[in-house]
Amino acid sequence: MRGTRAVIHLDNLQNNILEIKKFLAPKTKLCVAVKANAYGHGAVECARTALACGADFLAVAAVDEGLELRKARIKAPVLLLSLCSPDEVDAAVRNNLTPLVFDEEYISLFAEAAGAAGKKSYPVHLAVDTGMGRIGCEPHEAGKIARAVADTGALCVGGICTHFAVSDEVSTKSRDFTGTQFRLFEQAIKSVEAQGIDPGIRHCCNSAATIDHPEFHLDMVRPGIIVYGYYAEEISKEYLEKKGTPLNLKPVMTLQTVVSAVRHFEEGKSAGYGRTWTAGVPTDIAVLPIGYGDGWARRFALNGIPVSINGKEYPVRGRICMDQCMVDVGSDAANGIVRRWDKVILFGAKEDGALQTADDVAKLTGTISYEITSCITSRVPREFIGGRQDTGPRNKDKRA
Ligand SMILES: *Cc1c(COP(=O)(O)O)cnc(C)c1O
């Protein structure tokens, strides 16, 4: 296998789901977001592990993502969180993907497809916009839209949902906004019931709300990022500990590569495109076969992002190329601490010797962990360990 790879710790994923379950009442359903290839971690493997840990639903953004799960013979209900195109509706229905709907045109597309596929009472979930400003009907329209769904004959209201915009922020202003969103959602639910229609599964909580607002769980929660081992912004490890509801998350992905060469640089020799870095003193540069074509983004170098080799940090020098980058190992090659073919950890789990997580990389580079892991490209092979497929020593350890 290529030296550059993403190791996916399915046992850490399992740990995270069991930790999340501590926050849920026994009858609260769990919908795990596996969109964007499970935030870059591998949708099918993560979905299987999540279902084995008791997840009830999966959530994807695109019809193709849903089809990938179905091709892998995953039978669990799959929510389609984003809107699809008219030409995808037939495939969505044939594969029993559950769309979020909120307007009559989209509802009739699904009604027609359900009719053509000979399906009766095909479940759709009603999306309500209570303040996210993305998809969903206005709260006061929910009853009318639910009526439109029921009147198609081919569809039924299987659930109703909304999405929070600032549930990962702890300021009073943000908490008030989330509270207002929840109350608007309750009103929408009532307006559906007033039509004599059962709203079905009521759900609104993303990761942050799942762990910070148990009172908003209703019938199901939809966490994503915490499943993969990262705290949701201000709902941090420390915040939760202080609150008396600790949550022990473990990063699922370790991004690693190898030292493909060590080169001696005399003073004045520059590294890479644009010659943005020049050795001020003689040093050794390790060449790594990873670059922005792998998701190790070009802008990461702006802050001289560190990588770890044998438990020690070294800064990236010069621009990150598409396929390679260079790190300064100082005198550590000469003194034998860094050797050719040594493993390099860019971010990841402690057990792999990582000194930083994807969240740390995100903070250094002005983004969020979501973007760091989901942008690891398909060129990087995912190596799954600690799960059911694992026959390696880690699994044997567990049985012993
Ligand atoms: C992505 C997404 C989630 C999960 O969000 P996290 O912040 O990762 O927990 C939940 N609901 C919807 C509608 C989403 O788009």
Side-chain angles (χ1 to χ4, degrees):
M1 200 194 265
R2 205 182 157 210
T4 299
R5 70 185 77 165
V7 176
I8 306 300
H9 292 272
L10 294 173
D11 47 351
N12 286 359
L13 189 109
Q14 177 175 338
N15 165 81
N16 299 338
I17 292 182
L18 297 181
E19 283 286 298
I20 295 162
K21 282 197 134 194
K22 290 184 190 162
F23 287 74
L24 309 185
K27 66 171 199 286
T28 306
K29 290 183 195 294
L30 174 62
C31 172
V32 171
V34 295
K35 60 194 184 190
N37 196 28
Y39 294 41
H41 295 71
V44 167
E45 313 287 343
C46 291
R48 284 197 182 123
T49 300
L51 293 168
C53 296
D56 304 281
F57 267 71
L58 301 167
V60 298
V63 171
D64 284 343
E65 294 175 337
L67 301 195
E68 187 193 358
L69 299 175
R70 293 297 183 233
K71 282 195 187 109
R73 297 174 196 275
I74 290 171
K75 304 252 169 15
V78 173
L79 277 184
L80 193 54
L81 298 175
S82 296
L83 304 184
C84 66
S85 302
D87 64 359
E88 298 178 291
V89 171
D90 277 325
V93 167
R94 273 187 274 108
N95 288 279
N96 290 318
L97 307 183
T98 306
L100 305 190
V101 304
F102 63 96
D103 68 281
E104 292 182 18
E105 182 190 354
Y106 199 66
I107 288 167
S108 35
L109 286 174
F110 274 88
E112 215 172 284
K119 301 199 178 189
K120 292 192 184 74
S121 297
Y122 188 85
V124 300
H125 287 209
L126 213 65
V128 184
D129 181 7
T130 57
M132 175 65 186
R134 195 167 64 181
I135 63 169
C137 65
E138 295 298 321
H140 70 269
E141 293 177 324
K144 187 184 88 184
I145 302 295
R147 174 52 55 204
V149 168
D151 284 352
T152 61
L155 308 179
C156 72
V157 178
I160 184 167
C161 61
T162 195
H163 193 47
F164 294 128
V166 288
S167 56
D168 56 353
E169 296 175 9
V170 299
S171 70
T172 307
K173 192 173 163 214
S174 294
R175 292 183 78 85
D176 287 349
F177 191 81
T178 302
T180 302
Q181 282 199 269
F182 187 73
R183 276 188 301 282
L184 287 169
F185 186 45
E186 287 181 312
Q187 285 167 22
I189 292 167
K190 285 211 183 81
S191 84
V192 172
E193 288 166 344
Q195 290 284 328
I197 296 170
D198 180 350
I201 302 168
R202 301 161 302 160
H203 52 106
C204 57
C205 289
N206 55 8
S207 289
T210 297
I211 54 180
D212 199 26
H213 288 290
E215 72 280 16
F216 296 165
H217 284 178
L218 300 174
D219 303 315
M220 182 161 82
V221 295
R222 307 186 305 266
I225 197 69
I226 51 177
V227 171
Y228 305 105
Y230 307 102
Y231 294 84
E233 290 296 291
E234 293 176 19
I235 314 304
S236 62
K237 189 177 180 67
E238 298 71 32
Y239 168 85
L240 291 164
E241 265 160 21
K242 228 180 184 174
K243 202 180 155 193
T245 55
L247 175 67
N248 178 27
L249 298 177
K250 296 181 179 173
V252 175
M253 180 189 290
T254 293
L255 182 64
Q256 65 184 53
T257 186
V258 293
V259 173
S260 57
V262 178
R263 317 260 333 276
H264 186 69
F265 273 43
E266 291 301 343
E267 183 187 335
K269 183 175 165 65
S270 63
Y273 292 120
R275 305 189 61 216
T276 57
W277 180 84
T278 301
V281 292
T283 190
D284 281 333
I285 292 287
V287 182
L288 312 182
I290 188 168
Y292 62 81
D294 301 295
W296 186 242
R298 195 167 178 273
R299 68 193 154 79
F300 292 177
L302 294 177
N303 304 2
I305 188 121
V307 304
S308 126
I309 308 173
N310 302 321
K312 224 178 134 178
E313 274 190 22
Y314 302 96
V316 168
R317 297 299 196 203
R319 289 192 180 141
I320 293 171
C321 309
M322 185 186 285
D323 314 305
Q324 303 183 77
C325 67
M326 288 71 92
V327 304
D328 193 346
V329 298
S331 56
D332 283 351
N335 63 25
I337 295 177
V338 173
R339 285 147 307 169
R340 194 176 198 183
W341 314 124
D342 276 354
K343 187 161 93 171
V344 180
I345 307 287
L346 301 131
F347 60 78
K350 268 204 190 76
E351 56 262 47
D352 292 320
L355 297 172
Q356 63 191 355
T357 68
D359 210 17
D360 298 321
V361 172
K363 290 199 166 87
L364 281 172
T365 61
T367 184
I368 52 178
S369 54
Y370 300 68
E371 191 185 7
I372 301 294
T373 61
S374 66
C375 288
I376 301 305
T377 63
S378 60
R379 181 166 82 180
V380 178
R382 270 63 172 175
E383 183 190 359
F384 298 94
I385 64 170
R388 295 183 306 174
Q389 297 86 343
D390 182 21
T391 50
R394 292 174 54 81
N395 223 1
K396 280 192 198 120
D397 284 351
K398 243 196 249 160
R399 267 179 262 141

